[in-house]
Amino acid sequence: MPELPEVETIVRDLQKRIIGRKITGVTVPFPGIIANPVEEFCKDLVEAHFERLHRRGKIILADLSSGATLLIHLGMTGRLLLVPSSAPFEKHTHVLLNLGPDEHLRYVDVRRFGFLLTLGKNEVSNLLEGKKLGQEPFSIPEQEFCERLSTRKANIKAVLLNQTVVAGIGNIYADEILHRAGINPLLRAADLRTSQVKRLYRTMVEVLTEAIERKGSSVSDYVDASGRKGRYQDYHRVYRRTGQPCITCGTHITRKIIAGRSTHFCRVCQPFTKE
DNA sequence: GTCGATGTTATCAA
DNA sequence: TTTGATAACATCGA
């Protein structure tokens, strides 16, 4: 489940290792994972150098010397791995980029919810605008965050998962952020008091920052580009801790489907009442 | 054989 | 037009 901290970890790891390097060949064992015509995709990539690597929400963006940008979304189970060419060929490997004779950048994705795509410069901003992707949690001003929540009548859990409100939060971090803020996931966003929204803003930044420091959460099969697991799962206070005692008050953690997703929270620390 | 895991989007309804 | 609720997608492991 790559969310913002996992994607950020992958980008930072790869920045050190692929900037300036040339893509000498492209193989696409499963073309269905490529969102533009495969011929175009390969043409944009072959012989191009990686010039810049960055992230927008959960999307990885690689600017290439060909003028194109390679855009990668990992979906639920996508993994981007930088491995020796001789590394065993994993099942569900859908794309291979040769970086010279010795190394591969491989895209592996069991459930195939992810995708890869090459776009021109303008097309990238068009796509992000078209998706109406929200601001980054680290750059949205507090006041704007408050304003965006104030018009939302959906429950706060759904609003945090909504990528058009703020980009990058998924199921794990939505639960962790709400617990730390002491806010019940079922409360409507617009009903939250200003003090609650401010606390939510602060804990959002705190939780995501700490998760990045711990290199993300490895709850299913997440690993970074070097195959290393994250450690933030060891610091989860609610996510997948159903029935276990709340770190704060000892009450057992409740699990309930909210916004169509497994939601974990403490009934006592996150009461269903406004302050 | 069934269910649960989740990011995104299509679809429908208001 | 916008928003919200829900199902569907895909595959594996329990």
Side-chain angles (χ1 to χ4, degrees):
Chain A
M1 293 126 246
E3 304 178 25
L4 188 154
E6 290 75 33
V7 176
E8 180 68 23
T9 300
I10 291 169
V11 166
R12 289 184 185 184
D13 186 28
L14 281 178
Q15 272 171 347
K16 293 179 286 194
R17 303 174 63 193
I18 67 169
I19 297 301
R21 296 190 60 185
K22 186 164 91 171
I23 301 168
T24 52
V26 179
T27 315
V28 187
F30 179 69
I33 207 77
I34 310 293
N36 53 331
V38 176
E39 280 190 18
E40 182 182 293
F41 179 80
C42 294
K43 188 165 169 286
D44 284 338
L45 295 181
V46 175
E47 296 298 305
H49 292 76
F50 283 101
E51 289 189 334
R52 178 174 172 236
L53 202 63
H54 49 123
R55 176 191 64 71
R56 184 71 177 84
K58 300 172 189 172
I59 298 170
I60 298 170
L61 298 156
D63 296 337
L64 303 166
S65 57
S66 63
T69 294
L70 170 63
L71 195 147
I72 303 170
H73 196 297
L74 301 171
M76 269 181 66
T77 53
R79 285 181 292 153
L80 197 57
L81 302 168
L82 185 62
V83 296
S85 312
S86 58
F89 189 84
E90 273 192 76
K91 209 174 166 182
H92 308 296
T93 300
H94 305 316
V95 179
L96 295 112
L97 305 185
N98 290 74
L99 304 182
D102 300 327
E103 273 192 311
H104 278 163
L105 187 62
R106 297 182 184 173
Y107 183 73
V108 182
D109 189 350
V110 173
R111 273 163 249 184
R112 310 209 299 253
F113 276 16
F115 64 88
L116 292 84
L117 170 69
T118 55
L119 291 173
K121 279 279 181 294
N122 290 335
E123 293 172 320
V124 175
S125 41
N126 289 345
L127 181 111
L128 297 180
E129 282 168 28
K131 283 178 179 288
K132 297 181 180 173
L133 197 62
Q135 285 199 58
E136 293 291 316
F138 297 125
S139 58
I140 187 171
E142 183 187 64
Q143 189 183 343
E144 188 175 337
F145 182 74
C146 296
E147 286 167 5
R148 302 220 63 173
L149 296 203
S150 68
T151 61
R152 293 286 175 165
K153 293 179 177 165
N155 61 57
I156 186 61
K157 167 83 184 220
V159 171
L160 287 179
L161 292 177
N162 185 337
Q163 302 299 299
T164 71
V165 177
V166 174
I169 297 172
N171 206 36
I172 297 172
Y173 297 104
D175 284 4
E176 292 299 321
I177 290 165
L178 286 170
H179 180 265
R180 195 179 299 204
I183 294 172
N184 189 288
L186 284 165
L187 287 169
R188 298 199 319 174
D191 289 344
L192 297 176
R193 290 171 184 276
T194 303
S195 60
Q196 288 180 302
V197 178
K198 285 184 173 179
R199 196 161 67 235
L200 190 59
Y201 177 83
R202 196 176 65 240
T203 58
M204 168 178 75
V205 173
E206 281 175 6
V207 167
L208 294 175
T209 300
E210 289 174 24
I212 291 169
E213 285 169 0
R214 304 287 182 188
K215 316 277 188 194
S217 303
S218 290
V219 290
S220 58
D221 50 2
Y222 164 76
V223 290
D224 73 7
S226 306
R228 293 183 293 240
K229 287 188 174 186
R231 300 188 316 279
Y232 195 67
Q233 66 280 2
D234 298 335
Y235 299 86
H236 289 175
R237 300 183 186 180
V238 283
Y239 184 74
R240 292 210 185 172
R241 293 193 63 251
T242 310
Q244 295 177 50
C246 173
I247 305 290
T248 313
C249 75
T251 307
H252 75 263
I253 300 299
T254 302
R255 174 179 171 276
K256 185 178 170 68
I257 301 294
I258 301 172
R261 294 290 170 252
S262 223
T263 301
H264 314 75
F265 62 102
C266 171
R267 299 189 319 277
V268 175
C269 295
Q270 300 166 263
F272 187 66
T273 51
K274 296 178 226 173
E275 279 192 342

